[in-house]
Each structure stands twice: as structure tokens, then as C-alpha cells.
Amino acid sequence: MQFSNRISNMDFSPIRKLSKFAKETEKRGIKVYHLNIGQPDVKTPDTFFEGVTNYNENIVKYCDSQGIDSLIESFIQSLSDSNIYFDKDELMITHGGSEAIQFALMAICDPGDEVISPEPFYSNYSSFAKIAGAEIVPVETKIENEFHLPGEDLIESKITNRTKCILISNPCNPTGTVYSYEELEMLARIAKKYDLFIISDEVYRQFIFDNISYTSCMHLSDILDRVILVDSISKHYSACGARIGLVASKNKELMHNILKLCQARLCVSTIEQFAASNLINTMNSYITDVKMQYKKRRDIMYTAMSNIPGVVCSKPEGAFYMLAKLPVDDSDKFARWLLEDFSYNNHTLMFAPASGFYATRGLGKNEARFSYCTSIEDIKNSMIILENALEKYNKISKVKILDLAEQ
């Protein structure tokens, strides 16, 4: 029996593919520090659970495919606080930011079309594009330039008659880079010149550090009909499991067509939407406090990582990830070795190998993404484990090379 080319060409998530090895390690009584995934450890606001408690219907019914009114209105209000403005018919509630991106790509791409995206990018972008029948065309960014965008000419050189959009995350997952106003203006010029959409994944926009100014693509008034905004409560409110996101655009014809996809999957969970709609009543101090926690954790990880011999990293400007270049031959091999063959004081570490965040073969082979949305104690312990593991791994590798040379 044959499977579809679509599923055969998809890759497993680099964030989750080592989970089975981590489970086996934990069964052996070894503690694993999970720095591979962006699962915040901060408490979800009480307002979410109050929203669940306040759901008093006798029947859990289907709701409107666009989403329930109270949640749509709460998103509109929340976005307006960041000078991002939408009307009710310009926003659809989705199963997390993932479905929002998937729907956007399916609405604008045909099989064989191309999507420009700076690499490294969120690994699932490639899967989302393939489901839509499209391909990611990468534009390389480099750690030496803190993963900021290259020049306009290089980006334009990637565009063909099959290019439909530019897909970015800002702040960027996996690098933590925050694109400047000038960088976004450059993308806007390219989008207008080549008649492209810009899908702007802004799910980490609440977490920007060091007084860096933030520009949303929705602040670029001359391309509003080309921007497709993606947002989610997952990271803002530490509610990843609720799976509540949104896709929004001032392009009403586009949104009218995305509604077809929303109707095809009927609706997002009514109770989850009801609970999420109450998040608007969360005090602003919640986000402020969480942001301060992430900044402190970032600083601790960055300082420790920078002091490990052979490691190269850039300081994230936002989100809660750090992409580092490690002194290893292959970060996939190293990650598996950490789980299967290494422990330090009966502890070990799990990270996301970075090759899965690149579309260009060979790039990211010795890089890794580390999440710092876990506790300070876990971060400190993880960095000690990483330094000791790198030292031992490289000693073993040198011995193997010497053995081969003597044969």
C-alpha cells in the first residue's frame, strides 16, 4: 500500500523527535532538563480558569466557525493596545497559531508555489507549506549578524513567478531576533514590487527585551491589504494547551475565503474560546512580570553559554529561545548521545537540533536551539551539564579519530 507524497515528504519535528529517547532515559531514573520545547513554566492567569468555571451552558454546542463574539472582541481590544486595529470581519479564531498559518498558506498557495522565509525558521513552517502544496524558499541569516535580514538584492534574487508570500516570525523563533522598522520596510517594498503577501507570525510580540522598539507589520500602512497577521494566547498567557489563535487581515476578500476553511473544520472548541475570552481581564502586570522573568532567564543562559569553550551564540532580543553554534560535528548525534550515553550527577539535557530549522541542506548541522522558558535553577543546571557534556563528547570524538588513524 502506498502513502501520499505529501506525507512521505514531510519531516518529523526536530523539537519533538527525540522525545522517545528522553522517555527511555527518564525510565532509567535520570532527570532530563527539557530545553527543547517552548512550554512556559509560568502559571496561566486565573482569568482563564475563571472563564472555564463561568461557562454555564447545559449543552456544549458548535459555535460560529469564525469564533465566538466575546473572544473576537477581546482580541480586537488587546491588539488595539499595540496600535493594531481590526474590524470584526477581519479576524478569525483558529486552533492555535499553527492553524492560522496553515489556513493562510492554503488560501494563497497552489501546488508548486513558493514561500520566501528567512532561515533558520520555525520548523513547522516547512510542514505547513508542504501541506498546502508549496515549498519554502529560504533566505539565509547568520549568527554573526545576529540573524538579521540580508540585503534587499539577495532576497529579491530568491523570487520567481511562483512566489506567493514572505513568511516571517517576529520576534523570531528560533533565534529571538526582533526585526527593525527598516527591515520590515524593506520587506514591504519587496511585497509591493512583486505583488506578494506577508504572513507575519507575531505570537511572541509581548516579549521584547532591552528597550528595543517593536514594529508590527500592521504598522506599515501602505501594505495593510498584503499583511496576514498570526497571533495566539499560547505564549502571551502560558496557555499552549488551550490551542487558541487567530488569523487576521485588512484584506476582506482574503478573510472571506479563509472562512471557507474555518467552516470546513466546523469550529474551535467552544469552552476553550469562552475561557480565553476572559483573558482580556488579566491585569497588565501579568505580562510585565512574565517578561521580566524571561529577561532574567535569558541573561543567565546567555552569560553561561558565552563562557562555554567553543560555543558561539547571539543574545536574543525577544521570544524565549537561543540559537547557539556548538563545538560538535553534528548536533543531532550530540543530542541523542546526551540522552542515551551521558549523565552528570544523574542528570542530562535535551535541546532541539537546529538542522530542522533550516531548509538548506547542511546548514545548522552544529547548531542547537535552547528554550529558556523554564526555571532559573533548571537553566543553571543545564548549562553545567552542557559544558561537561561537550568536554566529554569531544574527548571521545578525538579518541575515535585517533583510533581510525592508527588502523
Side-chain angles (χ1 to χ4, degrees), residues 39-89:
Q39 172 55 64
D41 70 334
V42 297
K43 186 178 181 297
T44 306
D46 290 337
T47 47
F48 181 85
F49 302 105
E50 290 165 3
V52 175
T53 303
N54 293 336
Y55 185 82
N56 55 13
E57 298 290 333
N58 293 323
I59 302 173
V60 182
K61 300 177 181 178
Y62 289 125
C63 65
D64 191 284
S65 296
Q66 182 186 356
I68 65 173
D69 288 344
S70 60
L71 181 55
I72 292 170
E73 289 163 4
S74 72
F75 268 124
I76 289 172
Q77 181 182 333
S78 175
L79 289 164
S80 69
D81 292 339
S82 299
N83 297 316
I84 299 171
Y85 303 102
F86 286 107
D87 296 328
K88 183 181 176 182
D89 61 345

Side-chain angles (χ1 to χ4, degrees), residues 345-400:
N345 292 336
N346 211 39
H347 295 175
T348 194
L349 169 67
M350 186 178 182
F351 59 76
S355 58
F357 297 96
Y358 287 87
T360 302
R361 188 176 298 277
L363 291 185
K365 190 174 182 180
N366 64 342
E367 295 176 355
R369 190 195 73 169
F370 298 85
S371 169
Y372 53 86
C373 60
T374 187
S375 72
I376 287 174
E377 181 182 3
D378 284 2
I379 291 171
K380 288 180 177 178
N381 289 337
S382 295
M383 294 300 100
I384 293 170
I385 292 167
L386 179 63
E387 183 169 7
N388 282 274
L390 284 168
E391 183 179 358
K392 184 173 181 180
Y393 183 81
N394 285 318
K395 283 181 179 178
I396 294 171
S397 298
K398 286 179 182 178
V399 169
K400 287 181 178 178

Side-chain angles (χ1 to χ4, degrees), residues 302-343:
Y302 178 72
T303 299
M305 193 87 73
S306 299
N307 288 324
I308 299 175
V311 173
V312 178
C313 57
S314 65
K315 196 173 188 178
E317 299 165 318
F320 41 63
Y321 306 104
M322 186 177 300
L323 196 76
K325 187 178 291 186
L326 305 179
V328 297
D329 56 342
D330 188 319
S331 61
D332 280 273
K333 290 182 188 175
F334 178 56
R336 187 163 171 178
W337 176 83
L338 274 167
L339 294 172
E340 293 187 317
D341 301 310
F342 177 82
S343 68

Side-chain angles (χ1 to χ4, degrees), residues 61-69 71-72 91-95 99 103 245 247 255 258-270 273:
K61 300 177 181 178
Y62 289 125
C63 65
D64 191 284
S65 296
Q66 182 186 356
I68 65 173
D69 288 344
L71 181 55
I72 292 170
L91 188 154
M92 308 277 174
I93 305 301
T94 58
H95 286 290
E99 187 180 67
F103 280 3
V247 57
M255 296 308 296
I258 287 179
L259 181 58
K260 298 173 186 176
L261 297 168
C262 293
Q263 290 179 346
R265 57 89 165 108
L266 304 183
C267 70
V268 175
S269 166
T270 305
Q273 288 189 72

